[in-house]
Amino acid sequence: MRTLFVISVLMTKNESWRVVDLFAKMDTNLYKFTLFNELYFLVAGGTVWIDSSLPSTNVTSYQDSPTKEESIDVKVTQAEVNSRHNTVLELNSTSGSNGSTDVGLKDIHDSSIQNKGDSNHFPDQLKLLDQQDDSDDVGRFLYLEGVEYIMWCTYDVHFYASFALLELFPKIELNIQRDFAKAVLSEDGRKVKFLAEGNYGIRKARGAVPHDLGTHDPWNEMNAYNIHDTSKWKDLNPKFVLQVYRDFAATGDMAFGVDVWPAVRAAMEYMEQFDRDDDSLIENDGFPDQTYDAWTVHGVSAYCGCLWLAALQAAAAMAQQLGDKFFAETCKTKFFSAKSAFEEKLWNGSYFNYDSGSSSNSKSIQADQLAGQWYTASSGLAPLFDEFKIKSSLQKIYDFNVMKVKGGRMGAVNGMHPDGKVDETCMQSREIWTGVTYAVAANMILAGMEEEAFTTAEGIFLAGWSEDGYG
């Protein structure tokens, strides 16, 4: 199981000290053990921090590829990064399989919007904000999600871990986001064999957020992960948009916002290819195309669909603040259409079904079904759904995924059938993931369910760190 190592329940702005106080009152050992054991990994668990300038302008030729398969059909599109201001400017616009357009989301046209490769894409008033002093250059940072998973900065789980970096080392967190923003606008056309399906595809598509920053040659050779084609995953791009907006909102760093905005737009536009029925909502493609990479998804899914709704709202808010009013209105329109489709297809009266398919686990209760709402609330945006649906879903997760597993003494199991039996569709559906459980607990706190939240979080302490647990 992937080790997730951040106590995100403590990291919500304006909530942290109240939460710490509540945690301390519950159990002093629980608080101390959890805080220190979950955060140590940032400095002692497979971490690289180098004294290096921000992303450079060097274009890597990829001549020394690690595998024979990867040496075929080398075609790399790189992004230029201004070494002083760290502004990402696209040099080469690619089209075709990535589904992106030059002016915005699908079926949207406006002659007043410049091509994304044009530096005039930004409103005039923003150009003066693109400044960065030497104090922002804090080097470059890599870390592992676990010592057994040797890929740097795996982004699908940075989604859970990044609250700690934002709270404790915000400039490092912003630099990681800049690295991924640069990656979004790059393409690596070398052929890679994907192990699960046995087919070949390119290593990294333009517009797609990479799964990781690499193994052999970090930053230059990304997507060391090759089980599935992560350019077809449905959660990475929304997670990028949500993290960028959260960081932008938390730090108020306008220069950062300007730096990464081209990548945010590209990431949103890339996802439009996955809206198969033009309802503004993305669909999954019948394979494990998200961080739960052994758990197949059919049609609309609670996890990826909710992340997409949240990303639409966050992109709209960021676009509005940066002066890209056209894109803000586009995302708002898409949001309301997608929300209606999401609720119609997944809401069953008490929670959101796992997916809209007809498999044996389509009606499963997924602990992570409101991950998008967690980021929405943490970033100060309006709730994605009405209060009843949010609290009802979280209560269902608490009653079933938490309390029906060892009486709530282990955390939240990823999947649970509505009959109270653990979803054993795959290894991951029956696992308990540390970061997911903390995210659920944080979501509960934000929804005013404090007792349920700390019981949920306490399960990880009891199972993982207490003398009666598993060590």
Side-chain angles (χ1 to χ4, degrees):
M1 143 176 165
R2 295 184 179 190
T3 303
L4 306 178
F5 39 82
V6 166
I7 184 166
S8 57
V9 72
L10 293 179
M11 294 304 166
T12 303
K13 291 286 187 180
N14 302 322
E15 293 280 342
S16 56
W17 291 112
R18 185 169 64 86
V19 172
V20 167
D21 182 58
L22 287 168
F23 231 144
K25 288 179 180 177
M26 275 190 63
D27 185 324
T28 302
N29 286 333
L30 184 157
Y31 168 62
K32 290 189 297 186
F33 273 77
T34 305
L35 181 62
F36 288 103
N37 282 310
E38 299 289 7
L39 291 178
Y40 89 94
F41 205 92
L42 292 176
V43 296
T47 302
V48 174
W49 188 12
I50 63 173
D51 181 11
S52 173
S53 61
L54 294 171
S56 71
T57 59
N58 294 334
V59 176
T60 305
S61 65
Y62 297 100
Q63 293 176 348
D64 300 320
S65 49
T67 65
K68 181 177 181 181
E69 289 85 354
E70 294 175 345
S71 65
I72 305 171
D73 187 28
V74 177
K75 175 178 176 288
V76 179
T77 302
Q78 282 287 350
E80 177 185 3
V81 180
N82 182 303
S83 60
R84 177 183 177 192
H85 299 315
N86 194 36
T87 301
V88 180
L89 300 174
E90 182 186 348
L91 284 178
N92 297 295
S93 177
T94 61
S95 60
S97 62
N98 68 12
S100 66
T101 67
D102 282 338
V103 296
L105 299 178
K106 189 167 57 180
D107 297 327
I108 299 295
H109 302 281
D110 189 325
S111 60
S112 66
I113 302 298
Q114 302 293 322
N115 184 286
K116 295 191 301 297
D118 186 346
S119 62
N120 290 326
H121 178 64
F122 293 109
D124 291 339
Q125 64 268 28
L126 290 181
K127 294 177 184 177
L128 296 178
L129 296 172
D130 179 26
Q131 297 178 2
Q132 187 169 0
D133 59 42
D134 292 340
S135 67
D136 288 321
D137 187 1
V138 294
R140 304 185 81 180
F141 189 82
L142 299 168
Y143 73 116
L144 302 173
E145 68 176 77
V147 294
E148 77 288 354
Y149 204 72
I150 313 299
M151 300 177 193
W152 297 110
C153 294
T154 48
Y155 201 75
D156 53 331
V157 295
H158 187 64
F159 179 76
Y160 301 89
S162 57
F163 278 87
L165 280 173
L166 176 62
E167 185 83 5
L168 301 172
F169 310 107
K171 291 183 179 180
I172 290 178
E173 164 63 10
L174 295 186
N175 276 5
I176 290 176
Q177 301 300 356
R178 286 185 171 101
D179 283 327
F180 278 92
K182 178 175 182 286
V184 168
L185 298 177
S186 301
E187 180 171 298
D188 185 344
R190 288 174 299 165
K191 297 295 178 64
V192 176
K193 184 175 183 179
F194 301 113
L195 302 181
E197 293 79 22
N199 60 334
Y200 285 84
I202 67 172
R203 189 182 193 99
K204 163 72 175 65
R206 183 199 172 278
V209 174
H211 170 273
D212 55 79
L213 291 179
T215 294
H216 304 290
D217 187 7
W219 295 295
N220 294 319
E221 188 179 276
M222 296 167 289
N223 269 347
Y225 178 98
N226 65 341
I227 299 175
H228 303 287
D229 182 357
T230 61
S231 293
K232 297 179 180 177
W233 277 18
K234 310 307 184 292
D235 63 334
L236 290 170
N237 282 38
K239 285 176 174 177
F240 170 72
V241 175
L242 290 172
Q243 289 181 74
V244 163
Y245 180 75
R246 178 207 56 194
D247 295 351
F248 175 64
T251 62
D253 190 331
M254 188 65 73
F256 167 74
V258 173
D259 288 347
V260 300
W261 180 242
V264 171
R265 276 196 62 155
M268 293 297 291
E269 290 163 357
Y270 181 86
M271 293 301 293
E272 285 296 292
Q273 65 183 297
F274 304 122
D275 174 13
R276 315 294 188 190
D277 53 6
D278 294 321
D279 61 356
S280 302
L281 185 61
I282 61 171
E283 287 88 37
N284 293 81
D285 284 327
F287 75 100
D289 50 357
Q290 24 87 49
T291 188
Y292 298 90
D293 56 356
W295 200 357
T296 298
V297 198
H298 299 277
V300 176
S301 72
Y303 183 63
C304 296
C306 188
L307 290 171
W308 174 242
L309 290 179
L312 282 169
Q313 185 170 244
M318 190 168 181
Q320 190 70 38
Q321 293 175 62
L322 292 177
D324 193 344
K325 295 181 180 179
F326 168 78
F327 198 72
E329 291 302 317
T330 298
C331 290
K332 288 178 186 177
T333 301
K334 293 282 185 181
F335 169 78
F336 289 114
S337 175
K339 176 183 175 181
S340 176
F342 182 86
E343 293 185 326
E344 179 183 350
K345 294 177 180 180
L346 296 181
W347 179 250
N348 62 23
S350 60
Y351 64 95
F352 294 99
N353 290 334
Y354 175 71
D355 66 26
S356 62
S358 57
S359 63
S360 61
N361 70 319
S362 288
K363 290 182 170 57
S364 287
I365 308 159
Q366 185 178 14
D368 222 1
Q369 64 184 266
L370 289 181
Q373 170 58 28
W374 169 42
Y375 258 72
T376 294
S378 298
S379 302
L381 295 170
L384 298 178
F385 314 106
D386 61 49
E387 183 180 4
F388 167 74
K389 290 178 180 176
I390 293 171
K391 286 194 172 183
S392 176
S393 298
L394 291 173
Q395 189 65 51
K396 193 76 173 184
I397 293 166
Y398 178 76
D399 292 340
F400 281 69
N401 301 59
V402 177
M403 297 308 295
K404 289 186 181 296
V405 179
K406 303 294 183 182
R409 295 177 61 83
M410 290 188 68
V413 68
N414 285 335
M416 178 72 77
H417 288 294
D419 63 2
K421 295 181 180 179
V422 172
D423 185 342
E424 297 191 349
T425 301
C426 66
M427 172 183 68
Q428 292 172 338
S429 62
R430 62 176 180 262
E431 288 180 337
I432 293 170
W433 287 3
T434 305
V436 170
T437 297
Y438 287 144
V440 170
N443 225 345
M444 290 174 175
I445 289 172
L446 291 163
M449 301 169 61
E450 292 177 352
E451 182 177 349
E452 293 88 346
F454 288 105
T455 299
T456 299
E458 186 178 19
I460 295 297
F461 163 76
L462 294 173
W465 302 115
S466 74
E467 293 181 0
D468 298 327
Y470 298 102

